[in-house]
């Protein structure tokens, strides 16, 4: 078959290869056979957060799409509230992580390296 469809309920949860891998991520890209970039769905429970990291070593860019709940993106120590329908792009050198609010937060993360 020239394409793959995967239901989010069928994805396993656990740490992947990304520097900010968390026990709350679902590795969507792997499940659908995408290898040009990392694609993850992260379901953070209330008060949980991803690992603070930057991409100075690998030159990768991160983008996030908030799909449920509320929380904060923390970039270089500065917290900014985020909500469903918002998209976030973070520069390679900046240290970033996301933290869920009291009801938790779900988001998609895309990570792509600029290096060949």
């Amino acid at each position: 078959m020239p394409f793959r469809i995967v239901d989010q309920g069928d994805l396993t949860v656990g740490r992947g290869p990304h520097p900010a891998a968390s026990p709350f991520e679902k590795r969507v890209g792997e499940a659908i056979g995408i290898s040009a970039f990392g694609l993850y769905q992260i379901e953070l429970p209330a008060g949980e957060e991803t690992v603070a990291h930057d991409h100075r070593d690998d030159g990768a860019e991160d983008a996030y799409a908030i799909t449920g709940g509320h929380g904060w993106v923390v970039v270089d120590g500065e917290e900014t509230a985020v909500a469903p329908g918002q998209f976030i792009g973070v520069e390679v050198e900046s240290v970033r992580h996301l933290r869920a609010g009291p009801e938790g937060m779900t988001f998609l993360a895309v990570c792509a390296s600029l290096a060949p």
Side-chain angles (χ1 to χ4, degrees):
M1 184 180 324
F3 64 93
R4 292 185 192 156
I5 297 174
V6 176
D7 186 277
Q8 68 175 342
D10 294 334
L11 296 169
T12 57
V13 179
R15 294 184 190 277
H18 190 277
S22 79
F24 309 110
E25 72 184 38
K26 295 180 177 182
R27 294 183 304 278
V28 178
E30 291 176 18
I32 60 174
I34 299 297
S35 61
F37 54 89
L39 176 60
Y40 311 90
Q41 179 177 325
I42 296 88
E43 298 174 359
L44 289 176
E48 292 287 346
E49 59 187 41
T50 62
V51 175
H53 70 287
D54 62 44
H55 282 287
R56 291 171 195 225
D57 292 339
D58 63 7
E61 293 182 319
D62 284 342
Y64 307 102
I66 310 302
T67 59
H70 293 83
W72 297 267
V73 60
V74 183
V75 179
D76 296 332
E78 184 178 329
E79 294 184 0
T80 302
V82 293
Q86 291 182 312
F87 301 90
I88 305 151
V90 182
E91 294 179 357
V92 171
E93 358 4 88
S94 292
V95 176
R96 81 293 309 267
H97 71 279
L98 287 92
R99 182 179 332 113
E103 72 277 7
M105 181 170 65
T106 301
F107 61 94
L108 296 176
V110 178
C111 180
S113 179
L114 299 175

